[in-house]
Amino acid sequence: MLRRLPVVIAVLAAALLLVPAALAVRVHVRVEGKTRTIFGPAEPTLSVTANALDALEAASLAGEFYYHVTVTGFGPYVDQIGRYPAGASSGWVFKLNGVSPPVGADAVQLKAGDRVLWYWADFGPSGGPPTLELKRTARNCYRVLSQDDTGKTTTALGATLRAGGRSVHTRKGAACVGLHRGLVKATLAGAIRSNALA
Ligand code: B12
């Protein structure tokens, strides 16, 4: 038995190493900065330990971008992503599946297939900015939706589609862009730029 001890220890150690990997979830992650997309325009799937803060860590690792967490009375708070630190009524917020959770990112447990969006937001008297979501309706045709913090979705009237260096103004939040190279994304003044689609 004693001779088998090193083998038993090795098996146990391997099992312990496998536990965190088994608990990880595969989720979509995107990070929208103040002036440009920082990570994952097309919302790639990443392996994330457990929560929305871990999703930012996974994206930072994959995209090699800086972020900083400070511990406050409420718990961990992301006070900087990329170049810009939070200040006054602006800073970094996140959404899970289009909804802004009313708790810190470490308290939001993820399940497979979830979509986590971190973004820079300027808060005014009417709250934070809506986020845009791009959907493909047919070949080269797209619809742009606008989501508020509760996840309520409306058509993003006046949104612009950016396709291969061209700008196409949408009629009633939808348009066909014709043949294009690269990804298409949507913008609208006062809203967070959309995910990108082929
Ligand atoms: C201003 C504000 C913000 C600003 C902060 C800008 C800045 N300068 O850093 C912005 C818009 C960026 C923000 C973001 C978020 N906020 Co906020 N925020 C507030 C608010 C209205 C005032 C805070 C304040 O200035 N206090 C006065 C200063 C002197 O005290 P302070 O301790 O130094 O305040 C700092 C911390 O509160 C920190 N902070 C702000 N929000 C949050 C959220 C969490 C979870 C943590 C840990 C820290 C934190 O930023 C403040 C300024 O540095 C409070 C509501 C309130 N009345 O307290 C909500 C509040 C603290 N926020 C809240 C939430 C949920 C968030 C978000 C998680 C929302 C989201 N889904 O993304 C994010 C944080 C995500 C992240 N980055 O980690 C909740 C926290 C609830 C909870 N029990 O966890 C509160 C209580 C609002 C609410 N009732 O829902 N917030």
Side-chain angles (χ1 to χ4, degrees), residues 72 74-78 86-94 100-105 118 123:
T72 73
F74 285 112
Y77 172 64
V78 176
S89 55
S90 298
W92 297 95
V93 293
F94 71 100
S100 178
V103 291
W118 277 92
F123 276 69

Side-chain angles (χ1 to χ4, degrees), residues 2-45:
L2 270 181
R3 253 186 292 143
R4 279 203 215 129
L5 201 57
V7 179
V8 173
I9 289 170
V11 169
L12 279 176
L16 280 174
L17 280 176
L18 282 176
V19 169
L23 291 178
V25 278
R26 305 270 305 161
V27 299
H28 298 277
V29 190
R30 178 162 58 101
V31 182
E32 292 293 346
K34 196 173 182 176
T35 60
R36 53 167 298 156
T37 303
I38 293 176
F39 177 79
E43 302 188 332
T45 306

Side-chain angles (χ1 to χ4, degrees), residues 73-152:
F74 285 112
Y77 172 64
V78 176
D79 61 357
Q80 182 164 350
I81 298 180
R83 177 150 184 86
Y84 295 102
S89 55
S90 298
W92 297 95
V93 293
F94 71 100
K95 277 187 169 181
L96 173 64
N97 301 326
V99 178
S100 178
V103 291
D106 63 321
V108 174
Q109 300 300 308
L110 303 176
K111 56 182 188 333
D114 277 346
R115 294 170 73 197
V116 180
L117 170 65
W118 277 92
Y119 57 101
W120 172 268
D122 295 312
F123 276 69
S126 55
T131 52
L132 297 182
E133 183 171 359
L134 187 66
K135 292 197 179 286
R136 195 186 304 101
T137 52
R139 191 176 160 84
N140 296 326
C141 299
Y142 302 85
R143 172 173 297 283
V144 192
L145 301 170
S146 171
Q147 277 186 308
D148 69 11
D149 279 358
T150 68
K152 189 176 158 227

